Amino acid sequence: MTYRVCFVCTGNICRSPMAESVFRARVTEAGLDDRVEADSAGTGGWHEGDGADPRTVRVLAEHGYDSDHTARRFQASWFARLDLVIALDSGHLKALRRLAPTAGDARKVRLLRAYDPAAGDDLDVPDPYYGGLDGFEECLEMVEAASEGLLAAVRDEVEGTAA
């Protein structure tokens, strides 16, 4: 059985494709790519069909990550096939929980930085879209830091060791 994770931000061209790429790399490194799938989407459809922001692609490539991506909008019907929906900020978290068809589906939605013990109280990954390349670098650092904890939680679920 495949465990499915979907990362969600606003337009699905910056934060969520970055998180998807980093997490996929971690899953592959852990030897779980035959049991865990990751994808991404946006809460809005403004960029549907577009590739990732060129700055996202550049930062991912500079750090050795794949960046093949096509933006799409998250659909409520996807909850049925997903095990975990990872929001990149609290606005996405609220929107996704409102969109969830059931209370069980709403419980599938979590904030990415909640998996980073060093994150403190601010669990939002800031949107780098309107800034410079440094914002994309900062975004990648936050995503990488949280991906380790997320991978551990997913591994526990996949291997049946979750409490």
Side-chain angles (χ1 to χ4, degrees):
M1 186 169 199
T2 302
Y3 192 91
R4 292 178 173 85
V5 180
C6 185
F7 296 90
V8 182
C9 69
T10 306
N12 192 217
I13 61 169
C14 297
R15 294 173 283 179
S16 58
M18 190 177 284
E20 174 189 352
S21 293
V22 170
F23 188 68
R24 277 188 178 169
R26 296 296 177 271
V27 165
T28 299
E29 290 164 4
L32 296 172
D33 47 335
D34 60 332
R35 296 169 32 185
V36 178
E37 289 180 4
D39 60 18
S40 64
T43 57
W46 309 279
H47 298 285
E48 277 187 295
D50 294 346
D53 184 291
R55 297 165 294 178
T56 298
V57 173
R58 177 178 170 183
V59 167
L60 285 170
E62 287 175 354
H63 292 273
Y65 296 106
D66 178 35
S67 60
D68 184 33
H69 175 74
T70 302
R72 61 198 185 132
R73 185 176 188 172
F74 189 89
Q75 304 296 317
S77 62
W78 298 355
F79 276 104
R81 68 174 176 80
L82 294 170
D83 297 290
L84 199 54
V85 180
I86 301 295
L88 276 288
D89 72 28
S90 55
H92 307 131
L93 179 82
K94 290 173 191 165
L96 289 162
R97 286 187 173 161
R98 281 193 306 270
L99 188 63
T102 69
D105 289 330
R107 286 191 294 275
K108 294 178 182 181
V109 184
R110 308 278 171 70
L111 281 167
L112 176 62
R113 291 195 71 210
Y115 293 95
D116 178 2
D121 293 335
D122 184 5
L123 299 181
D124 288 354
V125 175
D127 188 351
Y129 184 76
Y130 294 104
L133 199 57
D134 57 333
F136 287 81
E137 291 284 352
E138 178 185 19
C139 180
L140 180 62
E141 290 172 16
M142 291 178 177
V143 165
E144 287 179 327
S147 290
E148 296 301 323
L150 176 58
L151 178 64
V154 169
R155 183 193 315 260
D156 286 350
E157 289 292 327
V158 168
E159 295 176 351
T161 57

